[in-house]
């Protein structure tokens, strides 16, 4: 399988370039890549659209706790509504062949029912409807913004890029609009994707 050159790879910082292995010349199909991830389950592994593989170390305690706050509210909302919530260990194969593991994600019931049990056992072969990326201390804003653009280009309806360091959120929508929320005294809305879902950003102030 061949892949187009990824904007993600072209714009990675030197630090993140050091975490990349280039497998684009090798025929590692989706099943082989899934097995590769299982063999290295102590790492978070993603694949760019060009076939390069990125290794990410386990998160620190603070980031893990903040991720849990978001996932907990998503799960509580889902139990009163519908769909399926996934944590940061779940891989999604996007239409452009990239495999991403958002920090939190939600998939509509309609999309979920279109998947076979075998497909659910591996990287889910479609884009979630909603994603959250929580930036770590070392993440590059530009790289994270490119990832959010990739999500939207591949069918994600709504995405939040949360930067706890400066207390700001970028909201990405399927219609191409992007909003910026400044200050963690605000409440984020699931808009028309996660109807009635709200998240208090103050929960991320630790």
């Amino acid at each position: 399988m061949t892949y187009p050159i990824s904007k993600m790879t072209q714009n990675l910082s030197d630090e993140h370039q050091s975490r990349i292995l280039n497998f684009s010349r090798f025929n590692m199909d989706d099943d082989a890549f899934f097995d590769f991830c299982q063999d290295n389950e102590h790492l978070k592994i993603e694949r760019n659209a060009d076939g390069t593989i990125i290794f990410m170390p386990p998160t620190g305690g603070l980031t893990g706790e903040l991720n849990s706050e978001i996932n907990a509210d998503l799960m509580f909302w889902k139990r009163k509504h519908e769909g399926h919530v996934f944590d940061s260990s779940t891989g999604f194969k996007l239409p452009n062949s990239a495999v991403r593991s958002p920090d939190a994600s939600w998939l509509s019931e309609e999309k979920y029912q279109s998947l076979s049990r075998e497909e659910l056992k591996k990287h889910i072969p479609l884009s979630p409807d909603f994603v959250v990326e929580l930036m770590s201390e070392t993440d590059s804003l530009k790289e994270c913004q490119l990832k959010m653009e990739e999500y939207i280009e591949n069918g994600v309806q709504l995405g939040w890029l949360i930067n706890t360091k400066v207390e700001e959120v970028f909201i990405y929508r399927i219609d191409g609009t992007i909003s910026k929320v400044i200050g963690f005294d605000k409440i984020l809305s699931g808009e028309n994707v996660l109807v009635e879902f709200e998240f208090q950003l103050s929960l991320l102030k630790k």
Side-chain angles (χ1 to χ4, degrees), residues 67-78 85 197:
N67 281 342
S68 296
E69 293 282 6
I70 298 168
N71 274 287
D73 274 20
L74 263 180
M75 183 59 73
F76 289 140
W77 172 87
K78 169 256 179 183
V85 174
F197 177 64

Side-chain angles (χ1 to χ4, degrees), residues 64-128:
E65 183 180 9
L66 300 184
N67 281 342
S68 296
E69 293 282 6
I70 298 168
N71 274 287
D73 274 20
L74 263 180
M75 183 59 73
F76 289 140
W77 172 87
K78 169 256 179 183
R79 288 175 178 170
K80 295 181 180 180
H81 294 79
E82 64 163 16
H84 299 263
V85 174
F86 302 90
D87 67 10
S88 60
S89 63
T90 306
F92 291 87
K93 182 192 173 188
L94 307 184
N96 70 347
S97 293
V99 175
R100 300 293 179 212
S101 300
D103 291 316
S105 55
W106 175 82
L107 190 65
S108 68
E109 188 66 32
E110 180 182 2
K111 279 190 175 182
Y112 186 88
Q113 292 300 328
S114 72
L115 298 166
S116 70
R117 187 163 184 81
E118 289 305 309
E119 287 175 320
L120 286 168
K121 289 179 180 179
K122 298 192 174 183
H123 294 144
I124 297 177
L126 46 72
S127 298

Side-chain angles (χ1 to χ4, degrees), residues 149-162:
E149 291 171 9
E150 179 185 56
Y151 281 133
I152 298 300
E153 290 169 358
N154 282 273
V156 171
Q157 303 292 305
L158 179 68
W160 297 346
L161 174 60
I162 302 176

Side-chain angles (χ1 to χ4, degrees), residues 62 65-67 69-71 73 130-135 159-171 179-190 197-206:
L62 179 58
E65 183 180 9
L66 300 184
N67 281 342
E69 293 282 6
I70 298 168
N71 274 287
D73 274 20
F130 170 70
V131 300
V132 179
E133 289 287 352
L134 186 66
M135 291 181 62
W160 297 346
L161 174 60
I162 302 176
N163 188 342
T164 59
K165 190 174 182 179
V166 295
E167 295 195 3
E168 66 181 18
V169 182
F170 292 90
I171 301 172
S179 300
K180 185 177 181 180
V181 175
I182 300 175
F184 276 11
D185 57 338
K186 308 292 195 309
I187 296 176
L188 298 182
S189 166
F197 177 64
E198 293 185 338
F199 182 75
Q200 298 183 21
L201 286 168
S202 59
L203 292 170
L204 302 181
K205 298 179 85 170
K206 300 292 183 180

Side-chain angles (χ1 to χ4, degrees), residues 27-82:
N27 187 23
M28 184 182 286
D29 62 18
D30 293 335
D31 287 337
F33 178 64
F34 178 80
D35 291 340
F36 177 79
C37 292
Q38 299 308 298
D39 290 340
N40 297 278
E41 60 182 9
H42 58 293
L43 294 172
K44 181 178 179 179
I45 303 173
E46 293 187 334
R47 183 178 71 193
N48 288 336
D50 62 2
T52 54
I53 295 174
I54 300 178
F55 295 83
M56 286 158 280
T59 63
L62 179 58
T63 300
E65 183 180 9
L66 300 184
N67 281 342
S68 296
E69 293 282 6
I70 298 168
N71 274 287
D73 274 20
L74 263 180
M75 183 59 73
F76 289 140
W77 172 87
K78 169 256 179 183
R79 288 175 178 170
K80 295 181 180 180
H81 294 79
E82 64 163 16

